[in-house]
């Protein structure tokens, strides 16, 4: 199916798992805005969202996971990983990495490395030693939505909504 839209429900043939529903937070803003209770990466809480005041926009038109701009570099570091045996090339979506768990209150959304990784890895050479490493990195969109949504806004794009 090239594209499809359903009003007033969903087509169970187009869903791969159980459906979960979350309340819209601040509906007056006009977004599919959700409250994030917490985020963990590799089992470690992300300090930025520990107070339960992060938000997320569910957006079918965004192809990446959007993360708050102020935390983007830190999240990239948490998700980057060395690949054993230093391969010449590989699809990083097939390389294990830490889970991202987004707590939306009544349920969690878990993203695996295959959901957030760039397909191509990066070869890094350490200047001091000349040692090479093959590193897999995340594919994230830094989000800076300004005062309307605050500086702790995420965008739950295609990696979450597929």
């Amino acid at each position: 199916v090239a594209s499809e839209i359903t009003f007033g429900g969903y087509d169970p043939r187009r869903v791969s798992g159980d459906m979960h529903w979350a309340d819209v937070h601040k509906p007056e803003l006009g977004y599919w805005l959700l409250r994030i209770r917490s985020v963990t990466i590799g089992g470690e809480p992300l300090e930025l969202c520990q107070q339960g005041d992060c938000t997320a926009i569910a957006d079918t038109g965004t192809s990446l996971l959007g993360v708050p701009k102020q935390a983007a570099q830190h999240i990239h570091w948490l998700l980057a990983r060395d690949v054993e045996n230093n391969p010449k090339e590989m699809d990083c979506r097939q390389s294990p990495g830490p889970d991202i768990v987004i707590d939306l209150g009544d349920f969690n959304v878990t993203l695996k490395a295959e959901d957030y990784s760039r397909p191509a890895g990066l070869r890094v050479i350490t200047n001091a030693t000349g040692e090479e490493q093959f590193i897999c990195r995340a594919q994230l969109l830094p989000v800076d939505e300004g005062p309307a949504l605050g500086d702790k806004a995420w965008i739950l794009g295609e990696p979450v909504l597929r």
Side-chain angles (χ1 to χ4, degrees), residues 15-16 19 28 42 52 112 121 128 157 162:
V15 178
S16 64
M19 288 291 290
E28 66 277 7
K112 304 276 187 196
R162 61 177 122 156

Side-chain angles (χ1 to χ4, degrees), residues 5-136:
I5 189 167
T6 303
F7 294 100
Y10 66 95
D11 184 345
R13 296 174 301 156
R14 306 284 183 231
V15 178
S16 64
D18 295 334
M19 288 291 290
H20 298 280
W21 302 95
D23 292 333
V24 173
H25 179 63
K26 297 185 180 179
E28 66 277 7
L29 294 178
Y31 301 104
W32 291 106
L33 186 66
L34 310 171
R35 280 193 62 212
I36 294 178
R37 305 298 195 261
S38 67
V39 175
T40 59
I41 297 177
E44 296 296 319
L46 186 63
E47 187 176 334
L48 179 73
C49 297
Q50 278 188 299
Q51 301 300 317
D53 57 348
C54 283
T55 58
I57 298 171
D59 184 8
T60 59
T62 300
S63 58
L64 303 175
L65 174 66
V67 301
K69 185 177 181 180
Q70 65 175 309
Q73 184 176 10
H74 178 64
I75 294 170
H76 271 290
W77 277 107
L78 293 172
L79 298 174
R81 58 219 185 265
D82 293 334
V83 178
E84 291 182 19
N85 302 321
N86 200 16
K88 289 290 181 199
E89 61 181 63
M90 71 171 294
D91 185 339
C92 283
R93 294 171 295 191
Q94 305 308 313
S95 175
D99 288 352
I100 302 171
V101 179
I102 303 168
D103 179 355
L104 295 176
D106 293 333
F107 62 95
N108 293 336
V109 173
T110 301
L111 295 173
K112 304 276 187 196
E114 66 191 53
D115 300 315
Y116 63 74
S117 293
R118 295 173 186 262
L122 177 68
R123 184 157 310 283
V124 176
I125 301 172
T126 305
N127 288 337
T129 64
E131 183 180 321
E132 286 189 21
Q133 294 175 288
F134 189 85
I135 297 175
C136 287

